[in-house]
Amino acid sequence: MIDLEKLTKEELGNLFPIYLEPYNYNWKNIFIDEQNKISRRINYEFQCKIDHIGSTSIIGILAKPTIDILLQIASDENAKKKIIDILKNEDYIHIPKPENPPPSMMFVKGYTSNGFVGQTFHIHVRFFGDYDEIYFRDYLNNNFEIAKQYEFIKIELSKKFKND
């Protein structure tokens, strides 16, 4: 398994460039399948809430084909270790995020030393109630003109920062 933390920013950018794809109606189903896998394992241990966020959850816009998942948990330090163990068993790579507010965790899947392999996922772990991403998703899905402006910004930034 690749240790993403040991790669430089430049190495990460070259190995995992930014690219956008047209909206894929199957992204929702891919999320639901992954949500079911995760919730079967995690809900066995404790209560959580799992939502589809990120650009693949915005209907009709170009997006990186990575399914972003928001995993909300209770503020319980024991949960943190359990989640790391559970998601590692589901082939996720744990990426500590000490610069983020607690629980300071992120997980990725589909990243290898050869680049992307298969479907990629990002899991963003937050405590219950810390979910601005859901409001953002819902706002864009309810305001198509704004979503298209957001898409334009994404296109421009992906050209400028393809490997960053």
Side-chain angles (χ1 to χ4, degrees):
M1 188 173 291
I2 187 171
D3 188 349
L4 298 177
E5 288 188 66
K6 291 188 178 172
L7 296 179
T8 66
K9 188 176 178 180
E10 183 178 89
E11 290 170 327
L12 285 168
N14 289 329
L15 194 55
F16 307 112
I18 303 296
Y19 66 96
L20 303 175
E21 292 184 4
Y23 181 77
N24 180 340
Y25 284 92
N26 198 38
W27 284 335
K28 181 177 182 177
N29 295 326
I30 294 167
F31 161 73
I32 290 169
D33 288 345
E34 197 70 10
Q35 175 190 36
N36 289 335
K37 286 180 201 170
I38 294 166
S39 83
R40 274 194 301 271
R41 296 291 311 275
I42 289 181
N43 277 337
Y44 179 77
E45 296 287 337
F46 51 89
Q47 186 181 11
C48 66
K49 185 170 183 329
I50 303 170
D51 288 285
H52 186 190
I53 60 170
S55 296
T56 59
S57 70
I58 312 301
I59 297 168
I61 69 167
L62 292 169
K64 292 187 307 183
T66 297
I67 306 296
D68 282 290
I69 297 171
L70 175 63
L71 172 61
Q72 293 181 69
I73 62 169
S75 70
D76 172 3
E77 277 304 311
N78 295 325
K80 190 171 179 176
K81 169 120 176 55
K82 288 179 184 177
I83 288 173
I84 292 170
D85 292 342
I86 289 168
L87 292 177
K88 280 186 175 182
N89 284 330
E90 293 295 321
D91 298 322
Y92 279 91
I93 300 168
H94 174 233
I95 301 176
K97 290 291 198 173
E99 70 277 9
N100 291 353
S104 315
M105 292 189 296
M106 181 177 174
F107 297 86
V108 298
K109 184 169 155 179
Y111 292 77
T112 73
S113 56
N114 296 317
F116 299 116
V117 172
Q119 178 62 56
T120 55
F121 295 91
H122 291 175
I123 297 179
H124 309 270
V125 183
R126 307 275 191 279
F127 289 133
F128 278 112
D130 183 11
Y131 49 78
D132 289 344
E133 296 94 338
I134 295 171
Y135 292 130
F136 186 64
R137 174 202 66 200
D138 292 349
Y139 178 77
L140 292 178
N141 275 323
N142 290 317
N143 295 278
F144 187 70
E145 296 285 325
I146 302 296
K148 292 309 273 184
Q149 290 175 21
Y150 176 68
E151 176 187 55
F152 176 78
I153 292 168
K154 288 180 73 70
I155 292 167
E156 293 305 307
L157 290 173
S158 71
K159 290 176 190 172
K160 187 175 179 181
F161 300 105
K162 182 172 182 65
N163 296 98
D164 187 356

